[in-house]
Amino acid sequence: MVARPRSPHGALIPQFYAGRNIFITGATGFMGKVLIERLLSTCPDIGTLHLLMRQKKGVSVEKRLQQLKQSQAFDVLRQKNPTQLDKLNIIPGDVAQPNLGILPEYLTKLHEVSIVFHSAATLKFDEALPKAVEQNVLSVIRLMDICDYLPNIEALLHVSTAYSNPEQLTVEEKIYTPTTPLPRLLALVEAVPSPLLKDITPQYIYPKPNTYTYTKAMAEEAIRSRTSRQYPIAIFRPTIVVSSLRHPFPGWVENLNGPSGVAAAAGKGLLHVFRRDPTKRADLLPVDIAIDTLLAIAWETAVDKPTHVMVYNCSTCENPTKWVEFEDALQKYLPKYPLDAALWYPSGTGVENKYVHKTLEFTLQTIPLHLAEYMLKILGVKMGISLITAEKKMRAMNDVLAFFALREWHFRTDNVKKLRQRLTPQDREIYNLDPQSIEWDNHYKDFVKGTRKYLLKESDENIPVATRHINRLYYVHKGLMLFSIILFLRLLLQNKFIKEFVYGTLRLLLALLDDGYSSIMSFE
C-alpha cells in the first residue's frame, strides 16, 4: 500500500493537527465516524485519537473498536493508508457515569491530549428528563471537570444543535439565557420522584418542545457558567445532519433518524404519508460539511484562544432547499434506485393538515400493516421485522420530523462565514465549509442511493431484480387506485340525492353540447 501524500504546502489545518492527540466522545455515532475519518485521512501526521467507549449489549470495548474499524466509512482509508487506523485508542468509560466512568490509569493517558471533541448525546426527543439531563448536561459538566486537569489542552469543542432554542425564529450565534437556572434543574431531577417528574416535564421545560432541545440548551448554559476554566471552548450547532456530499463517499449515511428514516420507510413501501409544509425551508446539512466545519472551528479556537465562548451555527440557509423538493426527490429517485424486497410501490407523499395526515396515516399505514401482520401470522410466514412495530416507529418518527418540517428558522452564520474566508486556498481544497457547493437534485439522488447501499447494506448488484419487482408493484398500485376510485364512485351513486345530482348534471352538459352543436350547424 502507498501512503497518502503529506498535506499540501500552505494548508494550515493539517499542519495544526500534526502531532496533536485528540479525545473524542460519541466516536461510534454517525457524526463521530466521519470526524474520525476526516481527521485520519486529511491529517496524515496526527497523533493518537483517544475514543471514549463503553461496553454495549454485552459487546466489549475491544470488540466494538474492531467493529468500528470495519465500518464502511473507512473503506478508502483501509485501501490507501490502513496504518492510520492504528492511531485509534480506547478509553473505557461512559458519559452517564461520574467522571465519565474513566479509571485513573486511563485519565493519565489523556494528559497528552490537545483537542477534545464532545459529540456524545442522547438523540431521543422524548427521553425522560433525568436521563436526558444525565447524558446531555451532566456529561458536559463532567467532561469540563476532566479538561480542567489536562495540562496540554488547547480547545474543547461541544457539539450542540441549531435547534437548542427553537422558540427563536432567528437564532443568533450566542448562548441564550435559560428560563430555568441550571442548579435548580439539577436539584429537581435529583429530588423529584420519576412519576411526578414525568407529569410536570412538559410545563417545566416550556417553551422547549421536548427534553432533547431543552437539555441541549442547558448544556450550553453549563458551558457559559464555567468561568473558572483555563482553556477556550466553542459550541458547534449543526442543523439537520444528513448523508455526505463527498466524504467518505457521496451519499454515505448510517442512521435512521429523520430524513433517512423517511427515505428507507417509503422505499420499502411502509410509509405513505408524512407531515410537512411545502413552503418551508428544509435545513439539511451534509455530514461532511458539518465535520469539516467542526475541524476548522477547533483550529480557530486553539489558535485564537478566545476568552468568551464562541458559538458557530452551521446551516444551509445560503443555499436553501424546501421540504417539497425533498418529497419530489423521493418520488423521483426511489423508483429509479429501488430498495430490495419492497412491500409496496414507494408512494410516500406529504400533507400539511394535521387531521388529513392522521386520517391518511390510519387508512394507508396503520390498518394495512396491522392486517398484513395478522395475515402473515395466520399463514405461518415469518418476517424479519414486525410490521406493527414498524408502524409504531414510523408514527413516532413522523411526529419528530413534523416539528421541523412545519416550521422555519433563520440561523445567523456570521462566525462560520468569517472562518470560511480565513482558510487558505489549500485548506479550502481539503475542507468544504461552503453550502453553495451543494447541488440539491444530485445530492438527493446520492442520498437515496446511499440509503440503499450504506444504511440498509443492499448490494448494487440486486438493483435489476429490485427494479423488476418495483415495476410489478407499480401496476398493482395503479390497479388498486383505479379500483378504489371506481368503488368510491359506485358507493356515491348509491345515494339517491347524489345519483340524481350526477345524472342531472350529465343531462345538462349533454343538452348544452347539443344546443351548441345545433347552433353551429344552423350558422353554417
Side-chain angles (χ1 to χ4, degrees):
M1 291 287 181
V2 179
R4 285 184 174 183
R6 299 302 180 188
S7 58
H9 179 71
L12 299 179
I13 294 177
Q15 293 176 22
F16 165 78
Y17 282 105
R20 281 182 166 83
N21 298 303
I22 314 296
F23 180 42
I24 302 173
T25 72
T28 58
F30 175 45
M31 293 181 66
K33 289 176 182 175
V34 180
L35 173 60
I36 293 171
E37 197 278 337
R38 294 299 284 157
L39 282 170
L40 294 179
S41 63
T42 67
C43 307
D45 298 322
I46 197 168
T48 302
L49 272 59
H50 297 284
L51 315 179
L52 184 73
M53 299 181 72
R54 63 184 174 90
Q55 180 175 310
K56 187 175 182 181
K57 297 179 180 179
V59 181
S60 67
V61 290
E62 293 79 12
K63 179 67 174 177
R64 291 192 69 200
L65 178 61
Q66 291 305 313
Q67 292 173 344
L68 175 65
K69 289 182 177 181
Q70 294 305 311
S71 169
Q72 289 177 308
F74 308 124
D75 282 355
V76 174
L77 196 62
R78 282 195 298 271
Q79 293 173 6
K80 296 188 175 182
N81 198 357
T83 57
Q84 284 291 83
L85 289 170
D86 296 336
K87 296 180 178 181
L88 302 183
N89 178 63
I90 300 170
I91 301 293
D94 187 343
V95 295
Q97 298 298 321
N99 210 39
L100 301 186
I102 303 175
L103 297 175
E105 58 264 33
Y106 290 101
L107 283 175
T108 303
K109 291 185 178 182
L110 295 182
H111 286 180
E112 61 190 22
V113 164
S114 302
I115 308 296
V116 177
F117 292 100
H118 180 51
S119 66
T122 175
L123 302 179
K124 290 180 64 176
F125 279 63
D126 58 349
E127 189 72 83
L129 185 59
K131 188 172 182 180
V133 169
E134 187 80 48
Q135 297 197 21
N136 292 352
V137 182
L138 289 177
S139 66
V140 177
I141 296 173
R142 292 161 179 163
L143 181 59
M144 289 191 292
D145 289 341
I146 291 173
C147 290
D148 287 343
Y149 293 95
L150 300 184
N152 296 308
I153 186 169
E154 297 180 70
L156 166 60
L157 282 298
H158 172 65
V159 179
S160 184
T161 171
Y163 303 98
S164 57
N165 298 281
E167 68 276 13
Q168 307 288 336
L169 294 182
T170 298
V171 180
E172 305 283 345
E173 290 178 303
K174 69 176 186 179
I175 298 174
Y176 288 84
T177 303
T179 55
T180 308
L182 179 60
R184 185 184 300 173
L185 168 66
L186 299 180
L188 179 82
V189 297
E190 183 72 25
V192 177
S194 295
L196 177 58
L197 190 57
K198 182 179 180 181
D199 291 338
I200 67 173
T201 291
Q203 293 78 23
Y204 190 80
I205 67 175
Y206 183 82
K208 309 294 185 189
N210 50 61
T211 56
Y212 172 73
T213 55
Y214 176 75
T215 52
K216 278 295 191 178
M218 295 305 292
E220 293 183 5
E221 171 62 15
I223 291 171
R224 187 199 62 79
S225 61
R226 180 63 71 103
T227 56
S228 61
R229 57 184 170 76
Q230 300 299 314
Y231 49 88
I233 302 180
I235 294 173
F236 174 61
R237 289 183 184 154
T239 52
I240 304 172
V241 181
V242 295
S243 63
S244 61
L245 185 68
R246 298 171 187 163
H247 304 289
F249 311 98
W252 187 82
V253 63
E254 208 177 61
N255 72 3
L256 272 169
N257 296 328
S260 56
V262 171
K268 288 294 185 181
L270 298 174
L271 185 142
H272 299 289
V273 61
F274 60 94
R275 285 190 76 193
R276 60 43 178 162
D277 183 338
T279 67
K280 300 302 184 186
R281 188 171 59 245
D283 211 314
L284 308 180
L285 178 67
V287 64
D288 48 339
I289 292 183
I291 295 302
D292 283 0
T293 305
L294 179 62
L295 294 180
I297 292 170
W299 163 73
E300 182 172 69
T301 303
V303 170
D304 291 354
K305 298 179 174 57
T307 55
H308 63 286
V309 179
M310 291 288 291
V311 178
Y312 296 79
N313 291 338
C314 194
S315 162
T316 54
C317 286
E318 298 173 67
N319 180 21
T321 184
K322 293 184 176 181
W323 286 107
V324 70
E325 294 170 355
F326 169 74
E327 176 188 347
D328 291 343
L330 293 187
Q331 294 174 352
K332 177 180 178 181
Y333 290 117
L334 281 174
K336 287 186 178 180
Y337 306 99
L339 307 186
D340 292 347
L343 296 178
W344 198 256
Y345 186 78
S347 55
T349 188
V351 296
E352 182 177 356
N353 184 273
K354 173 182 177 180
Y355 301 103
V356 173
H357 170 257
K358 285 299 179 184
T359 301
L360 291 175
E361 184 180 59
F362 184 74
T363 305
L364 301 177
Q365 290 173 197
T366 304
I367 293 177
L369 290 177
H370 278 69
L371 288 176
E373 175 90 354
Y374 297 138
M375 288 298 296
L376 290 172
K377 285 183 178 180
I378 292 172
L379 297 172
V381 178
K382 293 184 178 180
M383 291 284 292
I385 59 170
S386 166
L387 297 180
I388 294 177
T389 301
E391 190 274 328
K392 291 178 180 178
K393 288 184 176 180
M394 285 191 299
R395 266 190 287 139
M397 178 183 69
N398 248 327
D399 291 341
V400 169
L401 186 63
F403 177 78
F404 302 98
L406 294 171
R407 295 169 176 82
E408 186 174 280
W409 294 264
H410 176 69
F411 300 101
R412 295 292 300 272
T413 59
D414 296 342
N415 289 337
V416 171
K417 290 176 182 176
K418 292 176 184 176
L419 173 61
R420 196 162 66 220
Q421 293 301 316
R422 187 176 180 178
L423 298 186
T424 66
Q426 292 82 0
D427 280 313
R428 289 181 201 148
E429 290 179 7
I430 303 171
Y431 303 100
N432 180 16
L433 280 62
D434 189 4
Q436 298 283 359
S437 63
I438 307 169
E439 198 288 301
W440 282 109
D441 186 67
N442 190 60
H443 182 65
Y444 282 137
K445 179 176 71 174
D446 289 336
F447 171 76
V448 169
K449 293 168 69 176
T451 298
R452 186 185 200 286
K453 184 175 182 179
Y454 303 117
L455 180 59
L456 300 178
K457 305 292 192 294
E458 296 180 356
S459 173
D460 289 345
E461 295 178 357
N462 296 335
I463 288 181
V465 175
T467 300
R468 290 193 294 271
H469 177 64
I470 217 72
N471 287 340
R472 289 192 292 268
L473 290 178
Y474 172 80
Y475 292 110
V476 174
H477 173 68
K478 292 298 183 182
L480 182 61
M481 287 180 63
L482 179 60
F483 173 77
S484 300
I485 292 171
I486 293 173
L487 181 61
F488 178 71
L489 292 175
R490 178 71 176 172
L491 291 174
L492 279 180
L493 293 176
Q494 297 298 314
N495 184 288
K496 183 178 179 181
F497 174 77
I498 294 176
K499 183 176 181 179
E500 290 179 354
F501 175 78
V502 171
Y503 287 163
T505 302
L506 289 174
R507 284 194 295 269
L508 177 61
L509 289 173
L510 289 172
L512 291 173
L513 287 173
D514 184 62
D515 289 344
Y517 179 75
S518 300
S519 298
I520 293 171
M521 295 301 294
S522 63
F523 179 78
E524 292 178 350

